[in-house]
Amino acid sequence: MPMSGKRQDLLNMLCDLSDLSALVTGSANIENFLQRTVALVSGHLGTPVCSIYLYDETADELVLKATVGLNPEAVGRVRMGSGHGLVGTVMATRQAVCEGHASNNPHFRYFPETDELAYESFLAVPIQKGVVKIGVLVVQHTESDYFETSDVMALKATGAQLAAVLENARLLMDLQRMCSIPERPVCNLGFIKGQSASGGVAFARATVWGRSHGSLVAESAVVDSGTMADFRRAVKNTGEQLSALQQRCAERLPESAALIFAAHFMMLKDPKFIDRMAEQIEKGDPASRAVREVARHYLDLFADSPHPYIREKISDIEDLAGRLLNNLAPPLPDGNGDTSNRVVIAQALYPSELLKLAAESVAGIVLANGGVTSHVAIIARSLKIPMVVVQCPELMHLPEVTPVLVDGEVGNVYVDPSADIIARFDASHQAIQKVTGLKTSVRAGTAHTRDDTRVDLLANINLLGELPLAREMGAAGIGLYRTEFPFLIRPSFPSETEQYLVYRQVVAAMDGKPVVFRTLDIGGEKTLAYTDSVNEPNPELGLRSIRFTLAYRDIFEQQVRAILRAAAGSDSVGIMFPLISSVDDFLLARQVVRDCQDRLKADGLDHNDHPAIGMMIELPSVVETMAEFAAEADFFAIGTNDFVQYMLGVDRSNKRVADYYRPEHPSVLRALERVVRVAGDREKPISICGEMAHDESMIPFLLGIGIRRLSIDPQFMPAVHQRIEGLTIGPCRDHARTLLSAGSIASVHKALGNI
């Protein structure tokens, strides 16, 4: 069905709205931003009325915050409980309401302040971040039955795109009390052995994340200074700095959609934040004291919140207040708080915080807690930021600007290293660079063994910035595009349109080569701060991966629709479900894809109507039912990281049991052989996409059991290519039989090096 002009105009509008940063930065304050937003939506949809209601969590009420078409005096006065009126019904049900004759609906409620009786056509959608209520977006028209399906779709997508910014506005509605950050002396440190999370090296002065700006806000033993003119200048300079950082972040990571600093901009526009500071200055307080005291009110309220997604905003407040304080006076001699070309030391980082550091050109990162498998580490590798994980909380009290050397190649950290260590480090680093330069000149997408057996090397992709390297390596396709990263690096769930714009670039970049999209795989170590699932008692066995998306089908459907639309015209796109435990789960997830195809067809939107539908093999339950899966799925990918973890009951990020995480365990090897054999019998493609795929000691075994597709990070392709070209399939099969007959880890080890 051809797309109508109106529908095309609506899609164009959504693409325009995807960059909300210009609307935020161009607004004088939050109220002005909201008013400009409703005017923009009203103009695009051709409706005389557009309104935004925000949810007041304390009162459990929706409050009219901006409107075009209704009585402007109603703003701030009209309130309704969840479930009251049509707007309240939208919030309570989390579903859109579209009425051609609104006054006939039994839920209709008239508010005299609004003068809205003349508007019969009513369309409203919830604004939400996953399970978090934010508000309701409403459009109205005098003409009955005015709104079409395309209008509903457009408003839903618009509401999703507005969610991140409007959430920040809602959180800034009422802030009280104070808090502070304690300090304690640091122990003597020198050499610290850790684990490499991201390769590369960095030697620079240190700054402690979460303390540098936080200490500026908490500091009381200082001589406060600054006039109103100084304060206004600091606000202006801070806004300009944030705009520059936002631009750099968007260029480096298009997935961020320029919303990483949305909370900062909202606070800069918020009268309860900036104007309250100005009021204190007018009463005689020095500017720096006013900034500290107002920031502390925010910090205390956020710290006491029971909601993790609100507590996460503490770092945003500290960061913004710290920037204001730095801009109020010349930088301190030690550069306290500056992360540009610094080694940042942190207890933990959210993905969005890592992006801020990347935008500021951080030199390297040391995490004083955590595991090398965290998704922050994966993002660091994608951004080529050296990162080492250590178990050393004393580092959090390291004096600012202490020289620190981070060796991400082997996982070492040197505090205030000697000249000899620096010299050895420089020589070693230069040698590594020379070898790496030789290896990356190899185009490694397809390898052949000595007896000419073809093995395809597919790329694992986390971020759009990795696509050029995958193409340079000649990758045979993308065997695993981790769709959770646009979710992890953003402050809220990306809308269907935002996901579509990212996925379309992935398909286009591979120019007809296979691309496999894994649906949202969050939970466990991959937590989203803006969901309510971060406090599960056992997250690895909790509401993660396919379980999460099936529980929140609206989020799942948005993603599937975005993938199908991005794959329009392609014959080589696959959709893969993670953490499938039963055939029932697979069939249910596959039906979601088919339902989305039906709706896209009915809506007249271009999409892919024949994607390959496959699944990850990660759970032991799949091994015994592999034949049933092979009868239903189009392809398989074995995620060896989780497969080993669940087979052996080992948390691979827990250093106390790390030695029990054994990919070479006999039960793991035999289970792998079994699922590969069943897939081969049914002629269903199967690949390996975990860390085992680039483990050179395990490659002969994988080829020996029949694996002909390896999906790996692009930087590993040259070494894996070289390893495969030195092997012959016959001996690999013999080697695999030897390993499969071994009954202990020790006997497997004895045989591993024999080929």
Side-chain angles (χ1 to χ4, degrees), residues 219-230:
E219 183 62 63
S220 56
V222 296
V223 178
D224 284 309
S225 62
T227 65
M228 180 65 78
D230 295 328

Side-chain angles (χ1 to χ4, degrees), residues 622-696:
V622 174
V623 178
E624 290 296 326
T625 51
M626 186 62 190
E628 286 78 7
F629 281 112
E632 298 291 346
D634 295 326
F635 66 93
F636 299 94
I638 305 173
T640 55
N641 297 351
D642 272 333
F643 189 73
V644 174
Q645 175 172 263
Y646 288 118
M647 282 288 296
L648 304 181
V650 178
D651 178 358
R652 58 199 175 107
S653 64
N654 184 341
K655 67 175 185 177
R656 299 178 66 185
V657 295
D659 288 343
Y660 290 94
Y661 182 82
R662 298 286 188 176
E664 71 277 18
H665 193 289
S667 66
V668 172
L669 301 183
R670 294 174 190 179
L672 291 175
E673 187 277 334
R674 182 170 178 181
V675 297
V676 172
R677 173 163 40 85
V678 174
D681 290 344
R682 293 292 187 119
E683 298 183 344
K684 297 296 176 71
I686 187 166
S687 63
I688 298 283
C689 63
E691 291 180 6
M692 193 184 290
H694 66 253
D695 185 339
E696 295 182 38

